[in-house]
Amino acid sequence: MKKLSLLTSALMVAAAVSFTVPAMAQVTLTDADRARIEERKSRKTQLPGERVGRGVTKAFELYNEEKVDEALQVLLEIRGGNDFDNAFLARFIGNLYAQKDPKQAIKYLEQATKPDVLSFADQASSLKLVADLQSMENMHREAIKNYESWLRFTGENDADVYLRIANAYYQLQDYQKVLVPIDNAIRYAREPNKQHYMLKMGALYESKNYPKTVETVETMVQLFPEERQFWVYLGNFYTLVENYEKSLSALQIAYNNGYLESESELKLIGQMYANNNIPYKAATLYEKYVKSGKIKKDRTMLTAIASNFQAAREFGKAAQYYGELAALTNEADAYRRQGFAYMSIQRYNDAIKAFEASLARESSNAGRVHMSMVDAYLSQGKLREAFAALQQAKRDSATARQANSYEGYIKEKARVKGITL
C-alpha cells in the first residue's frame, strides 16, 4: 500500500510531465557505415606470427602464475613482423599495464588500435579500455574522443558508453555538453537508471537551468517514488523557481513517509509552511523538533517559532517563545516583542514587565516602548502610570508628536475621575 500511495502522490505532484525522452544526437549510420561494420565483423581472423605467438603464450602462462612483471618483460622483448603482429602485441602489453601503470597502458593500447587491424571484438574492447583508463587519469577530453570512436566503430547505441561520455563532460564542467549524451543514456538504457537522472539533474542545476532541473526531478520521483532523497531534491528545486506551493506538496509527501531526516530538511518544510501562509503548522513543527533535539534551539529558530505563532494569532505561545529568546540572547527587541504579544491577550502587567526589561537593555526604541506602556496602563485605568510613561515618550523625537496628542486625553480623563497626575 505504501508503494502505491507514493506512486500516486508522485503522479499528482508532476502530472504534466511526460515519460518520453526527446530524440537527441546519437550514432547514425549510413549504408556505407553499416557495410563497413559488417565487413569488419566478418573479416577472417588473423593469427600472429610464430615468434609473436610463442611469446604471447609464454607471457600468458606467467600471467596465470601472477608474474605480471615477468610476463611484460617477455612481451617487451618481442618484435613483430607486420602491423597486425605489432598491434596484437601492443594490445597484450596494454592489458597487462592496465593493472599497474595506466599511462603506459594507454600508450600501448593507442598503438594497438591506431592501424585498425585487430579483430572486431579486440578493436572494440581496446578502444573502450583506453577510454576508461583515460577517464581514470583525468584525461577526459581524450576519453571522450575514444568513447566516440567506439560508438562509430561498433555502430551501437550503448547506454553505458553514453553515460561515460556525459560524465567526462561533467568532470570538465562543460555542463551543456553533458545533456546530449546523458539523454542518449536515458533513451537506450534497458530500464530507468537513477545514476543517469542524477547526472542530468546535476548538469542542469550547474547550468542554472532551474525549470528543466525541476522537470527532471519530477520525472525522477515518478520513476523512483521510494527514493527519499529525490523528494527532498524536488522540494528544494521548486523553491528555485519560487513555486512554494508545489515545494510544500512535495515536502509533505516526503514528511508523511518519514523521508525528512536532517535538520535542514525539517527546517525547509517549516519554511514552506510559513511561505504558504500556514504559520501555525510551521510553528508547531519547529516546536516539535526543537523539543526532540532534531533542530537546534538557537536564536534563529526561537525567532521563527515565536513569529509564526504570532502570525497564527497564538499570542500566548508567541509570548512564551519571545521570552525564551530574550532569556537566550538578552536582547531588548525580544522583550519588546514579548510585550506586544502579551498586549494582544490583555495580559497587561506581563506586558509592562516585558517593556521595562526592554528599556533596561536599549534606548533606541525607547519612545515607542513607552507609548506601548501608555496603552497598557490606560487599558488598566492606571492614569498616573500612563501619564508618567507619556512624559518619557515625549522626550523621544520619534514619538513626541503622538505623545502630545495623548496628553490632553489623559488629563481630561484624570480631571473627570478626580485623579491628580
Side-chain angles (χ1 to χ4, degrees), residues 266-385:
L266 294 168
K267 284 182 176 180
L268 178 61
I269 188 173
Q271 184 61 52
M272 287 307 102
Y273 278 128
N275 287 354
N276 282 277
N277 296 314
I278 314 174
Y280 183 76
K281 281 199 171 184
T284 53
L285 183 138
Y286 288 148
E287 181 182 47
K288 175 181 177 180
Y289 290 106
V290 164
K291 286 181 177 178
S292 73
K294 283 195 170 183
I295 293 179
K296 184 180 179 182
K297 184 178 181 179
D298 58 15
R299 181 184 185 280
T300 300
M301 189 46 53
L302 288 172
T303 301
I305 296 172
S307 60
N308 277 289
F309 271 131
Q310 184 156 345
R313 303 188 66 78
E314 292 285 337
F315 298 114
K317 296 287 283 186
Q320 173 192 332
Y321 280 99
Y322 280 129
E324 290 193 30
L325 176 64
L328 179 70
T329 64
N330 200 36
E331 291 178 354
D333 188 63
Y335 285 107
R336 183 176 64 85
R337 290 175 183 271
Q338 184 187 39
F340 289 143
Y342 278 135
M343 289 285 288
S344 297
I345 52 177
Q346 300 179 9
R347 289 175 57 176
Y348 300 119
N349 286 332
D350 290 326
I352 289 166
K353 288 179 183 177
F355 291 140
E356 287 174 341
S358 177
L359 289 169
R361 287 160 178 80
E362 185 183 8
S363 59
S364 60
N365 285 312
R368 292 185 177 88
V369 174
H370 279 114
M371 284 305 301
S372 296
M373 293 177 71
V374 169
D375 289 337
Y377 283 128
L378 286 176
S379 296
Q380 298 177 90
K382 296 180 177 179
L383 298 179
R384 289 193 183 91
E385 291 85 346

Side-chain angles (χ1 to χ4, degrees), residues 92-131:
F92 268 87
I93 293 170
N95 285 343
L96 291 179
Y97 267 128
Q99 302 177 45
K100 54 181 296 180
D101 190 338
K103 284 187 167 59
Q104 282 291 89
I106 290 167
K107 170 186 168 183
Y108 281 98
L109 287 167
E110 287 188 323
Q111 290 177 17
T113 56
K114 186 175 181 180
D116 188 13
V117 292
L118 295 172
S119 71
F120 185 87
D122 287 349
Q123 181 78 3
S125 64
S126 297
L127 285 169
K128 187 181 284 187
L129 177 56
V130 74

